[in-house]
Amino acid sequence: MERKVAIFDTTLRDGEQAAGIRLGPAEKLDLAKQLERLEVDVIEAGFPISSPDDMEAVRLICKEVRNPTICALSRAIVADIDACGKAIENAAKARIHTGLGVSDIHVTKIFAAERYGKTLEEKRQTVLNMSVEGVKRAKQYTDDVEYYAMDAGRSDEDFLMMLFDAVIKAGATVINIPDTTGYAVPEQFGALIARIAERTKNSNVVLSVHCHDDLGMAVTNTLAGVKNGAGQVEGTIIGIGERAGNCALEEVIMALRTRKDYYGVSTTVKAKELYKTSRMVADAFGMEIPMNKAVIGANAFAHSSGIHVDGFLKGRQTFEIMLPSDIGAPESSVVLTARTGRHGVRHRLRELGYSYEGEELERIYERFLKIADKKREVFDEDLIAIVHDEVSTVPAVYVLDYLQTTSGTGTIPTATVRLNIAGETVQGSHCGDGPVDATYKAIFSLTDTRAKLKKYNIRAVTSGSEAMGEVIVNLELDGRMGIGRGLSTDVIEASAKALIDGLNRLASKN
Ligand code: MN
């Protein structure tokens, strides 16, 4: 029988941890619902002891997302595990993920105090005892307990094996072998997984691999793990995560699928949801997907060299090992114009994986008409950007009512802004280094916010000077980060909208 490999997504935990952006519980729920549509097996939703927001996010996802297993992270410490227990109490299927750092470096540095033991041997024994106690405690809350041996990629193998024997005996159902520092190389890592598989073959434990991309080998190491017996892979969408990131799940999923002849395993993921999922994740974290990113990049299916195009036209298998439709990417770029009716827009949105009706569809359509009026041709990328701009769940405290700027050679850039703040109209003007700077100074002074601008990013959604500009800003308020986005054929207006969107998002998190 064909072996099944489970997909464990940790975008909301390991991914978020590194993004510099804290998502609110509602934003995390939106992504979790999309991960459910992608049909991943496990969603690691957060680290409940780390913040009240994380606790609430895990609880909310447990309540609303019922098909995948929802996993909560902890250290093998009583308070952490009890927080997980509380977070998962309403889940349909829940898992607690617990463990400790087990490499000599972790053992001697993290457990430096003498109360953990004087020698390395004694400290290792402490780590082993804490791990066993942690698994036992987690078992009081759920049967499904995953143990992680942090920094396993650099750990003493004899100790690792002893540790695994002990936690399996204590009830661990999944053993995670993380290469936390991205130090492993495929042949060596694969061989380690094979030895652990051999050692644990008489138990029902599932082996999991969790690789980081510091040397650009997270996906290769993960695949080496699968080839050698791992039954679960951990990673994130687009590979976002600590430092250089985690293993990019879309790459692993498509590699296992495209090279089934070699790996001989299957997953139950719905690959057709990958394109949309990757766009949603990029949006939520305010990041751009590189053009040449494997599987989901804008050029992943583009053929440009003469020989390739010629071959492609004679038969697409000549230079194409996957189809855009496999991951739900738009097959051909359909161009819409102002003459495209409501039904046409709705139909194209459906093909792109977005179902909107009623009032939401109407808002998107109105916006589409305005854009089509200005730039004549509306591409799929434009349509997706409009959707993400219009369908916002954030209540608007600040509304942009009027914006006028002057700039040019020999003039002092000035902006006049009128805002509606919770029903009241305020107006002001400011000078600046340029029209965007002037606009931002005016908005900051009118809103009287303590929020600070940390990052400003602008890009053209499609090519050509009439393209829409999309602005993404990172804001910080009292140590919390939030993003805002704005879209317009006028880049100054797009900039103002992005700042106001960011301020609204920060206000809604209070
Ligand atoms: Mn990690």
Side-chain angles (χ1 to χ4, degrees):
M1 210 182 77
E2 195 173 74
R3 194 158 65 89
K4 194 209 150 184
V5 171
I7 301 294
F8 177 114
D9 179 281
T10 183
T11 306
L12 299 178
R13 203 277 301 167
D14 219 343
E16 195 218 26
Q17 201 170 301
I21 298 286
R22 302 299 291 185
L23 300 181
E27 292 168 293
K28 276 193 164 190
L29 178 62
D30 269 354
L31 290 180
K33 283 184 174 163
Q34 178 57 27
L35 291 169
E36 184 180 39
R37 285 189 282 270
L38 180 63
E39 294 184 21
V40 299
D41 299 273
V42 186
I43 296 174
E44 188 163 58
F47 185 6
I49 194 119
S50 70
S51 74
D53 249 17
D54 246 31
M55 169 66 89
E56 198 198 320
V58 179
R59 286 183 67 87
L60 186 64
I61 292 168
C62 282
K63 205 168 129 238
E64 305 277 334
V65 181
R66 310 297 285 178
N67 292 319
T69 297
I70 308 300
C71 178
L73 183 78
S74 64
R75 293 161 298 183
I77 295 172
V78 172
D80 280 39
I81 295 163
D82 290 351
C84 288
K86 180 162 182 270
I88 62 167
E89 63 189 2
N90 296 317
K93 283 182 274 176
R95 174 181 298 179
I96 293 178
H97 193 185
T98 194
L100 291 170
V102 303
S103 64
D104 290 354
I105 299 169
H106 279 247
V107 171
T108 52
K109 296 284 181 221
I110 311 250
F111 298 93
E114 224 170 71
R115 65 193 152 102
Y116 296 116
K118 289 195 183 89
T119 62
L120 174 63
E121 270 322 303
E122 285 173 11
K123 287 180 196 294
R124 280 182 178 169
Q125 191 56 49
T126 304
V127 167
L128 189 141
N129 294 342
M130 285 175 76
S131 298
V132 167
E133 288 314 310
V135 170
K136 285 185 180 162
R137 186 146 194 116
K139 284 298 251 196
Q140 295 175 6
Y141 296 106
T142 172
D143 259 347
D144 189 352
V145 175
E146 173 167 342
Y147 176 80
Y148 66 84
M150 188 158 69
D151 206 15
R154 293 192 299 174
S155 296
D156 178 79
E157 196 170 321
D158 290 340
F159 175 54
L160 208 53
M161 295 295 187
M162 258 171 54
L163 191 61
F164 290 158
D165 291 345
V167 293
I168 292 169
K169 205 168 143 225
T173 44
V174 182
I175 295 288
N176 177 10
I177 303 119
D179 180 30
T180 311
T181 52
Y183 178 74
V185 292
E187 295 77 7
Q188 205 178 28
F189 189 67
L192 173 68
I193 301 301
R195 289 193 295 276
I196 298 170
E198 176 61 26
R199 173 91 167 203
T200 57
K201 68 178 176 201
N202 294 323
S203 67
N204 284 326
V205 79
V206 173
L207 299 186
S208 183
V209 286
H210 176 117
C211 297
H212 279 264
D213 209 32
D214 297 71
L215 293 172
M217 291 190 276
V219 170
T220 346
N221 286 333
T222 299
L223 292 170
V226 169
K227 187 75 181 162
N228 286 281
Q232 175 179 283
V233 300
E234 305 189 8
T236 60
I237 303 297
I238 331 175
I240 64 167
E242 291 283 358
R243 307 179 308 278
N246 283 62
C247 160
L249 280 182
E250 67 279 2
E251 293 181 20
V252 172
I253 290 163
M254 291 314 286
L256 292 178
R257 188 181 146 130
T258 309
R259 295 306 310 272
K260 202 166 183 173
D261 61 311
Y262 180 74
Y263 291 104
V265 299
S266 62
T267 73
T268 44
V269 161
K270 217 165 145 198
K272 272 195 187 314
E273 293 288 332
L274 280 173
Y275 183 82
K276 188 177 166 199
T277 311
S278 66
R279 264 63 191 168
M280 277 183 72
V281 168
D283 259 12
F285 291 102
M287 63 182 287
E288 262 185 63
I289 298 171
M291 299 283 272
N292 63 340
K293 170 77 184 60
V295 179
I296 52 168
N299 284 353
F301 296 99
H303 301 270
S304 52
S305 87
I307 294 173
H308 285 215
V309 172
D310 182 57
F312 180 77
L313 292 175
K314 285 173 182 150
R316 64 190 307 170
Q317 303 94 320
T318 48
F319 286 101
E320 202 166 58
I321 60 169
M322 299 175 271
L323 298 174
S325 58
D326 292 345
I327 61 155
E331 271 272 10
S332 56
S333 251
V334 173
V335 180
L336 305 179
T337 68
R339 286 183 303 282
T340 309
R342 212 173 258 94
H343 289 291
V345 170
R346 190 178 70 165
H347 181 71
R348 188 62 194 147
L349 281 170
R350 290 221 159 186
E351 286 177 336
L352 295 170
Y354 299 88
S355 305
Y356 290 110
E357 300 290 344
E359 204 247 327
E360 271 180 329
L361 176 67
E362 205 51 38
R363 260 183 17 232
I364 294 166
Y365 182 65
E366 288 299 319
R367 185 70 183 280
F368 160 80
L369 281 183
K370 277 188 200 144
I371 304 277
D373 243 11
K374 281 185 186 157
K375 71 185 291 278
R376 296 194 325 277
E377 293 183 315
V378 178
F379 299 97
D380 289 339
E381 293 92 326
D382 296 322
L383 206 51
I384 291 170
I386 291 171
V387 165
H388 289 203
D389 201 48
E390 279 301 317
V391 186
S392 165
T393 49
V394 185
V397 179
Y398 309 105
V399 180
L400 179 65
D401 197 31
Y402 174 87
L403 167 67
Q404 195 222 334
T405 57
T406 48
S407 65
T409 314
T411 60
I412 298 170
T414 312
T416 302
V417 175
R418 190 162 67 221
L419 294 181
N420 193 302
I421 305 179
E424 217 178 299
T425 303
V426 290
Q427 182 176 314
S429 297
H430 235 286
C431 308
D433 280 338
V436 172
D437 186 49
T439 303
Y440 276 31
K441 280 183 172 142
I443 294 173
F444 274 119
S445 102
L446 287 173
T447 54
D448 201 23
T449 173
R450 291 186 315 281
K452 292 202 166 49
L453 180 69
K454 290 304 205 187
K455 216 161 105 187
Y456 171 93
N457 222 316
I458 184 162
R459 73 173 183 111
V461 175
T462 51
S463 54
S465 61
E466 78 290 358
M468 283 198 290
E470 185 181 46
V471 173
I472 297 176
V473 295
N474 289 25
L475 300 174
E476 192 200 323
L477 178 64
D478 302 333
R480 286 181 310 127
M481 300 291 289
I483 67 160
R485 57 179 61 246
L487 186 73
S488 175
T489 46
D490 175 337
V491 294
I492 315 288
E493 189 189 41
S495 303
K497 281 180 158 178
L499 178 56
I500 288 166
D501 181 50
L503 292 174
N504 279 328
R505 280 172 197 277
L506 283 174
S508 77
K509 282 185 191 174
N510 281 333

